[in-house]
């Protein structure tokens, strides 16, 4: 159990302490979210989706914590991510690659115990061929396209694979998966159509466990859950509908410091393109976070930060390293250089900020820049 000991961590600071904006990642809350989700979907299991560096939060750290809380299944996007993660997790945990293998990657994945999600007949054939060099049948996940029209085996190829898999002793299908296109819209007709198609396809693969739901899918009817949920954003505190349940908690706080405070008279331009002009004398604060840190430029005219629960609207365009906010609502002297304001936190959720930017929580989270000082608690 030496391995578990290695995950007993202390709050550490990663990435350039002294930065003007910082991201705090609440590891304890992440673990609680995992436990609550696991409880909610029982008897289905929860696999953690840790692609894109665990949505920017640090895949190695996040995966190790979730493993310590009982998670044994981890999904990443490509082989590079899988190989990077392998040494952080014990051999007996499963790492699956959503995009499957690219030609030539088979052996390094086999040697590292990485499991491909097979999306095409070619991937299947390449894997089966490579697997012949090994004694035991090698596990794969089979992804079928049940209606999303993205990755996955086409419906017409299913009988081919099904016939072939019966005769292919070098390969063992351990999971049949598909992905929902509209899970975040519970009444979208495509959800039921995909469920029906998945059931039809599952008929070709008796006794193989099924995975259909991502985070949002876990909160559709129970029939969508199958045997394994693939949860990403729910674990990281993104918006999910929990009818009658306490919502999953936020896992990050994003704060940035005040750099300069000043009052501009009426009729003065603020920021690039002189896109905002003051209508009256206005007290403004320049805050040290910008689009290089992951604040989309589409927040122009809509976004805000908070100080002690008071909304401070962004004015002018988002710059690379800074934003300007209107602080007229605050008593003068409330802020001074170095004061931290809330960008994501108690008063403004990840989903709120994403909504103002016209995007989804996933895009905000994965876009948070490497320049941010990161603190794990
Ligand atoms: C990214 C991804 C997930 C996780 O989605 P969330 O909405 O973050 O839960 C699940 N399955 C597949 C195939 C994915 O690509």
């Amino acid at each position: 159990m030496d391995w578990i000991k290695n995950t007993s961590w202390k709050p550490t600071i990663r990435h350039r302490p002294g930065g003007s904006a910082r991201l705090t990642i609440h590891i304890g809350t992440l673990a609680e979210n995992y436990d609550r989700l696991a409880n909610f979907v029982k008897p289905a299991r929860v696999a953690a989706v840790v692609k894109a560096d665990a949505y920017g939060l640090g895949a190695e750290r996040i995966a190790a914590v979730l493993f310590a809380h009982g998670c044994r299944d981890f999904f990443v996007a490509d082989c590079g991510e899988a190989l990077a993660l392998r040494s952080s997790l014990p051999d007996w945990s499963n790492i699956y690659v959503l995009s499957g293998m690219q030609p030539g990657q088979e052996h390094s994945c086999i040697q590292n115990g990485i499991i491909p999600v097979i999306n095409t007949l070619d991937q299947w054939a390449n894997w089966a061929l490579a697997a012949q060099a090994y004694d035991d049948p090698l596990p794969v996940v089979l992804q079928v396209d049940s209606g999303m029209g993205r990755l996955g085996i086409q419906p017409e190829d299913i009988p081919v694979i099904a016939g072939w898999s019966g005769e292919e002793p070098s390969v063992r299908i351990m999971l049949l998966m598909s992905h929902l296109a509209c899970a975040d819209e519970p009444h979208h007709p495509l959800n039921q159509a995909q469920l029906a198609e998945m059931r039809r396809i599952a008929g070709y693969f008796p006794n193989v466990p099924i995975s259909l739901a991502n985070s949002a899918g876990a909160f559709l009817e129970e029939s969508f859950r199958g045997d394994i949920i693939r949860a990403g954003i729910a674990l990281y505190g993104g918006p999910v509908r929990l009818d009658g349940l306490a919502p999953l908690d936020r896992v990050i706080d994003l704060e940035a410091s005040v750099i300069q405070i000043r009052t501009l008279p009426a009729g003065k331009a603020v920021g690039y393109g002189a896109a905002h002009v003051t209508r009256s004398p206005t007290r403004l604060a320049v805050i040290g976070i910008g689009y290089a840190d992951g604040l989309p430029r589409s927040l122009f005219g809509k976004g805000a930060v908070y100080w002690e629960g008071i909304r401070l609207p962004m004015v002018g365009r988002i710059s690379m390293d800074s934003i300007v906010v209107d602080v007229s609502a605050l008593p003068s002297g409330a802020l001074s250089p170095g004061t931290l304001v809330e960008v994501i936190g108690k008063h403004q959720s990840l989903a709120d900020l994403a909504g103002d930017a016209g995007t989804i929580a996933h895009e905000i989270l994965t876009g948070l820049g490497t320049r941010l000082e990161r603190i794990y608690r």
Side-chain angles (χ1 to χ4, degrees):
M1 284 280 141
D2 271 0
W3 184 86
I4 299 271
K5 262 189 243 148
N6 291 341
T7 68
S8 67
W9 45 273
K10 300 192 184 67
T12 44
I13 294 178
R14 203 178 73 167
H15 294 306
R16 59 185 299 277
S20 62
R22 74 177 189 204
L23 179 65
T24 305
I25 300 160
H26 302 283
I27 290 292
T29 311
L30 169 83
E32 276 165 33
N33 284 351
Y34 177 81
D35 289 344
R36 289 169 65 190
L37 191 59
N39 236 350
F40 177 67
V41 302
K42 253 184 343 206
R45 302 205 314 267
V46 177
V49 180
V50 293
K51 62 191 180 185
D53 201 25
Y55 293 28
L57 302 184
E60 294 178 18
R61 183 65 74 76
I62 299 287
V65 169
L66 293 174
F67 182 87
H69 275 255
C71 185
R72 295 294 176 266
D73 300 280
F74 299 87
F75 283 86
V76 294
D78 65 22
C79 273
E81 289 187 334
L83 292 169
L85 190 60
R86 187 71 277 183
S87 59
S88 310
L89 287 169
D91 292 348
W92 66 89
S93 59
N94 297 319
I95 301 179
Y96 310 95
V97 177
L98 286 167
S99 63
M101 305 285 111
Q102 302 315 310
Q105 292 174 338
E106 291 83 5
H107 288 288
S108 72
C109 286
I110 292 170
Q111 278 146 23
N112 288 282
I114 288 163
I115 302 166
V117 174
I118 298 291
N119 294 301
T120 66
L121 284 179
D122 280 350
Q123 285 183 342
W124 169 269
N126 291 342
W127 185 255
L129 192 65
Q132 281 167 6
Y134 299 81
D135 293 338
D136 297 326
L138 292 179
V140 293
V141 175
L142 199 65
Q143 173 157 227
V144 297
D145 179 7
S146 59
M148 181 169 180
R150 193 178 66 173
L151 281 172
I153 310 264
Q154 298 301 297
E156 59 272 24
D157 292 335
I158 301 289
V160 181
I161 294 266
W164 199 350
S165 67
E167 295 163 20
E168 187 48 80
S170 66
V171 178
R172 179 171 62 88
I173 300 176
M174 63 181 292
L175 183 68
L176 184 66
M177 72 166 263
S178 193
H179 194 42
L180 297 167
C182 304
D184 53 357
E185 297 171 60
H187 303 296
H188 199 292
L190 190 51
N191 291 326
Q192 294 298 338
Q194 286 196 258
L195 179 62
E197 176 66 350
M198 190 64 172
R199 285 189 167 142
R200 186 188 70 80
I201 294 169
Y204 287 93
F205 304 95
N207 304 321
V208 175
I210 289 179
S211 175
L212 182 59
N214 60 350
S215 296
F219 299 99
L220 298 172
E221 296 142 48
E222 267 181 63
S223 47
F224 283 87
R225 289 183 201 156
D227 300 285
I228 298 189
I229 307 295
R230 304 181 308 272
I233 199 74
L235 299 177
Y236 310 129
V240 280
R241 254 174 314 272
L242 289 178
D243 298 332
L245 291 172
L248 295 172
D249 288 324
R250 90 176 180 277
V251 167
I252 61 164
D253 280 300
L254 179 60
E255 299 159 294
S257 44
V258 173
I259 296 172
Q260 181 184 5
I261 301 163
R262 48 120 63 99
T263 300
L264 285 185
K268 285 285 183 190
V270 178
Y272 282 117
H276 177 85
V277 176
T278 54
R279 275 191 231 125
S280 52
T282 313
R283 195 140 35 87
L284 299 168
V286 183
I287 310 290
I289 187 167
Y291 62 75
D293 304 296
L295 285 191
R297 291 181 74 249
S298 56
L299 286 169
F300 170 62
K302 301 203 186 90
V305 300
Y306 284 78
W307 183 79
E308 307 232 318
I310 300 167
R311 186 173 190 277
L312 309 175
M314 298 178 193
V315 293
R317 289 197 183 143
I318 313 297
S319 296
M320 185 185 292
D321 315 311
S322 63
I323 52 176
V324 179
V325 300
D326 184 336
V327 299
S328 309
L330 299 181
S332 72
L335 301 181
S336 53
T339 306
L340 287 171
V341 298
E342 171 189 327
V343 183
I344 295 172
K346 213 160 123 191
H347 304 96
Q348 175 157 265
S349 69
L350 182 58
D352 294 336
L353 188 77
D356 284 345
T359 182
I360 56 172
H362 303 63
E363 190 178 358
I364 297 289
L365 203 51
T366 55
L368 296 179
T370 51
R371 178 166 68 178
L372 298 169
E373 181 183 342
R374 280 170 159 74
I375 302 171
Y376 290 87
R377 284 204 201 289

